[in-house]
Amino acid sequence: MTDVTSSASNSVIDINPATGTAVAELNETDLASVPERLARARQAQRRWAAKSFKERASHIDLMRRYLVDRAEDLARTVSESNGKTRIDALATEVLPCALACQWYAGNAEKVLRPAMRRPGSLLFANKRTQVSHLPLGVVGIISPWNYPLSIPFGEIVMALMAGNAVQLKVAAATPAVGRAIEHIVSAGELPEGLFQHLVGSGSKVAGAWFEHGIDKLFFTGSVNAGKTLMAQAAHTLTPVSLELGGNDPMIVLADADLERASNGAAWAGYQNAGQSCGGVERIYVEAPVYDDFVERLAKKTRALRHGPGHADQVNVDIGSLTTEGQLRTVQQHLEDALAKGARIEAQSQPVGDVEKGLFFPATLLTGLRDDMLTVCEETFGPLLAVEKVDNAEQALEKANRSNLALTSSVWTGDNKRGRALAARLETGVTTINDHLYTHGLSEAPWGGWKESGIGRTHGPEGLLEMTHPKVINWDLLPAKRNLWWYPADRATYKGLLNALRFAFPKNAGQWLGASLKLTPFLIRKMFSRWKVD
């Protein structure tokens, strides 16, 4: 079974990875149309950018209403296209989209409205500076298959509220969700051409965008794909924002609430069949509570159910993986770990016919080594690897070894200690006594360090990524010249020295002397005519 196929008529067929049945068929986009599409987008964007934030927000509110009214249908579409459970789709896809509409519609103006900057020195007391945030123009979004609705939709709303046009290319494995996004955006009654959905190869679409002048690319996906796109973008100096995954650590200290910690580990490690770049993959537990923690987590792992479940999918905990390639990666990482001495402590139980789908049991591993693939690479599947450590310092050192640095968590009964340790973890996000939820916080920036990517989405930082900062500076006084302008002469040289001593005096005497010399020179230099024979 394949997760996506192309027919002879250049269409893409979306296959439900949990059942092997066809979900939808979409026609591929003729990339020869990209120049015309961009031209239409730019025309629509100029009209859209002229609207007030309040007017833009009214369109976003229509999308939110559509999301809420059709929440169950959207959750079903995501579940059938991606393989996750219906509950998972509702909680981590549909709900965050509605929250995103609310936050960006309500806060974009506060973040992006023009703001005045105070002069940084008395030397520029006559100057005034205004910083505006202007739309980029046409934004391209290439989104992944693990959260095919919530990841691109949040970026779409950010881009629109900032005044941009949007072109979207969803993952090849989940094109049906791209069509669902079309319907959501259509409910917003946007200008024709402002939003466009393209179907086809991500690299080919990106190449066409770069060639014909997309203004910025937002990409979520693998490290290798992100590096390839960044290299492509370099030829046209097209800016990119890249979120490229993680191998996220969880640190459990001896004073942690082990019941909460084991519940949190099960959720953050196995949710979405482990296909979450911000999910837990490595767990470091202090020695005094290691055995207790592993026993609790093993019991919870064995209690979990994976499979297609009933038609409404509310009687299972874990759905299928989304692609055959990802299933092979998880199998390879497990085989590698076992060959190097790891032990399976517990696995989830199948429910229903799992043979037709890409199912893999939630699996708890112990007996780790640092050279195991699941420890040093992103598994992106329902494998949880637990290791005993002597203390928090050892846990911190192991957690920070990874070249991926998206999220992490610290579990402790002492919030002050937890925050101190969190500040030393080399990740874009660190949560205390929780994990795998901050992507749903519209107000919080999302992104990582190292090879987890560059740039941020979400929050004020995400809105700013959708804009060009524009500085407008002017003079309050009718001066003829600035201090440093021509002609160059001894008086100008001494005037600059006195300006420096006025701004940075050694003592009060030097400041007074400099100011007495500087003031008459400034008057002569700035307000007199430059007499040229």
Side-chain angles (χ1 to χ4, degrees):
M1 184 188 72
T2 57
D3 40 85
V4 118
T5 61
S6 294
S7 71
S9 59
N10 292 322
S11 64
V12 176
I13 301 173
D14 194 331
I15 303 297
N16 184 336
T19 64
T21 58
V23 173
E25 183 174 0
L26 283 77
N27 292 326
E28 287 190 358
T29 301
D30 181 2
L31 297 186
S33 68
V34 167
E36 184 270 334
R37 285 174 172 272
L38 285 169
R40 283 195 292 119
R42 294 196 187 285
Q43 188 175 24
Q45 188 270 330
R46 285 191 287 270
R47 299 196 304 274
W48 179 251
K51 291 180 179 289
S52 67
F53 285 104
K54 185 177 180 180
E55 289 173 320
R56 295 175 204 165
S58 67
H59 293 271
I60 301 302
D61 189 57
L62 292 175
M63 297 182 202
R64 179 189 57 77
R65 294 179 190 179
Y66 182 97
L67 279 158
V68 174
D69 290 345
R70 292 165 176 79
E72 290 186 276
D73 291 339
L74 290 167
R76 182 184 302 109
T77 297
V78 171
S79 176
E80 291 175 349
S81 182
N82 160 278
K84 66 180 63 179
T85 68
R86 198 75 55 81
I87 289 176
D88 197 341
L90 190 62
T92 68
E93 302 263 23
V94 180
L95 177 59
C97 288
L99 294 172
C101 288
Q102 178 187 44
W103 197 86
Y104 294 113
N107 290 277
E109 183 173 9
K110 299 174 188 175
V111 176
L112 299 179
R113 64 189 172 196
M116 298 299 298
R117 294 280 176 88
R118 296 175 59 184
S121 169
L122 281 174
L123 293 175
F124 293 102
N126 59 309
K127 298 289 187 180
R128 290 295 178 267
T129 299
Q130 175 185 279
V131 180
S132 300
H133 299 283
L134 306 183
L136 294 167
V138 184
V139 168
I141 297 171
I142 297 180
S143 60
W145 44 255
N146 61 326
Y147 290 91
L149 178 61
S150 60
I151 287 179
F153 186 75
E155 294 173 356
I156 291 167
V157 176
M158 281 180 265
L160 291 174
M161 282 306 303
N164 298 292
V166 178
Q167 298 205 342
L168 169 69
K169 213 300 292 184
V170 302
T174 54
V177 182
R179 186 169 63 185
I181 293 174
E182 287 185 50
H183 295 156
I184 299 169
V185 176
S186 179
E189 301 176 2
L190 302 178
E192 181 67 28
L194 189 70
F195 171 82
Q196 299 173 41
H197 173 216
L198 285 70
V199 180
S201 159
S203 61
K204 291 180 180 178
V205 170
W209 281 342
F210 293 144
E211 180 182 356
H212 298 291
I214 201 82
D215 292 296
K216 187 168 184 176
L217 175 66
F218 288 80
F219 171 77
T220 304
S222 71
V223 173
N224 289 336
K227 289 180 177 180
T228 299
L229 288 172
M230 192 170 183
Q232 283 182 271
H235 294 291
T236 52
L237 288 181
T238 303
V240 295
S241 175
L242 306 175
E243 197 269 90
L244 306 178
N247 182 8
D248 298 355
M250 169 178 175
I251 295 176
V252 182
L253 302 182
D255 64 348
D257 178 341
L258 297 185
E259 179 61 19
R260 180 175 178 85
S262 56
N263 288 335
W267 158 256
Y270 302 138
Q271 180 270 336
N272 195 24
Q275 298 171 126
S276 298
C277 50
V280 171
E281 296 204 3
R282 301 172 288 147
I283 307 177
Y284 300 106
V285 185
E286 285 194 303
V289 296
Y290 173 82
D291 291 337
D292 191 355
F293 175 84
V294 169
E295 182 181 358
R296 289 171 186 260
L297 184 52
K299 288 180 179 178
K300 298 176 195 304
T301 300
R302 284 189 287 268
L304 291 173
R305 302 155 297 176
H306 67 272
H310 297 317
D312 60 4
Q313 284 192 317
V314 297
N315 67 321
V316 292
D317 305 297
I318 303 169
S320 74
L321 281 88
T322 306
T323 71
E324 289 182 332
Q326 197 55 46
L327 177 60
R328 287 192 295 271
T329 296
V330 178
Q331 291 170 335
Q332 178 192 12
H333 281 208
L334 177 60
E335 291 167 2
D336 170 81
L338 295 177
K340 294 174 180 175
R343 298 182 301 279
I344 296 177
E345 296 289 343
Q347 289 185 307
S348 59
Q349 303 303 310
V351 175
D353 186 2
V354 298
E355 298 303 319
K356 293 180 180 179
L358 305 178
F359 294 97
F360 194 93
T363 302
L364 177 63
L365 294 175
T366 59
L368 305 182
R369 283 177 22 189
D370 289 340
D371 63 342
M372 292 178 180
L373 293 177
T374 195
V375 174
C376 58
E377 296 182 9
E378 182 178 37
T379 299
F380 219 58
L383 296 185
L384 270 181
V386 187
E387 182 174 350
K388 182 191 300 185
V389 293
D390 295 333
N391 50 49
E393 289 301 315
Q394 186 183 30
L396 183 71
E397 188 275 329
K398 286 179 174 288
N400 283 341
R401 282 182 189 174
S402 178
N403 66 317
L404 297 171
L406 184 59
T407 80
S408 56
S409 61
V410 178
W411 301 72
T412 175
D414 184 343
N415 265 323
K416 183 178 179 181
R417 184 187 181 200
R419 290 195 300 271
L421 190 61
R424 299 169 61 198
L425 280 161
E426 297 170 354
T427 55
V429 177
T430 300
T431 51
I432 298 171
N433 296 327
D434 211 335
H435 204 119
L436 192 56
Y437 70 97
T438 57
H439 190 271
L441 300 180
S442 299
E443 69 274 16
W446 177 259
W449 302 357
K450 303 179 184 177
E451 291 194 350
S452 282
I454 58 174
R456 291 294 184 271
T457 59
H458 297 200
E461 292 80 2
L463 284 168
L464 292 171
E465 291 264 7
M466 296 289 180
T467 66
H468 290 297
K470 170 73 175 183
V471 173
I472 299 177
N473 181 273
W474 65 92
D475 209 313
L476 293 177
L477 301 175
K480 306 296 184 184
R481 290 176 291 172
N482 287 330
L483 168 65
W484 51 92
W485 283 10
Y486 298 135
D489 52 26
R490 174 61 59 178
T492 299
Y493 181 79
K494 289 183 176 180
L496 288 169
L497 284 177
N498 284 318
L500 187 66
R501 291 161 183 162
F502 171 81
F504 306 101
K506 291 182 179 179
N507 50 54
Q510 189 181 62
W511 177 85
L512 180 60
S515 61
L516 290 174
K517 295 175 183 177
L518 179 62
T519 301
F521 171 73
L522 282 175
I523 294 172
R524 290 195 305 273
K525 179 80 172 186
M526 296 176 68
F527 296 98
S528 64
R529 292 175 59 86
W530 179 8
K531 297 179 181 180
V532 181
D533 293 334

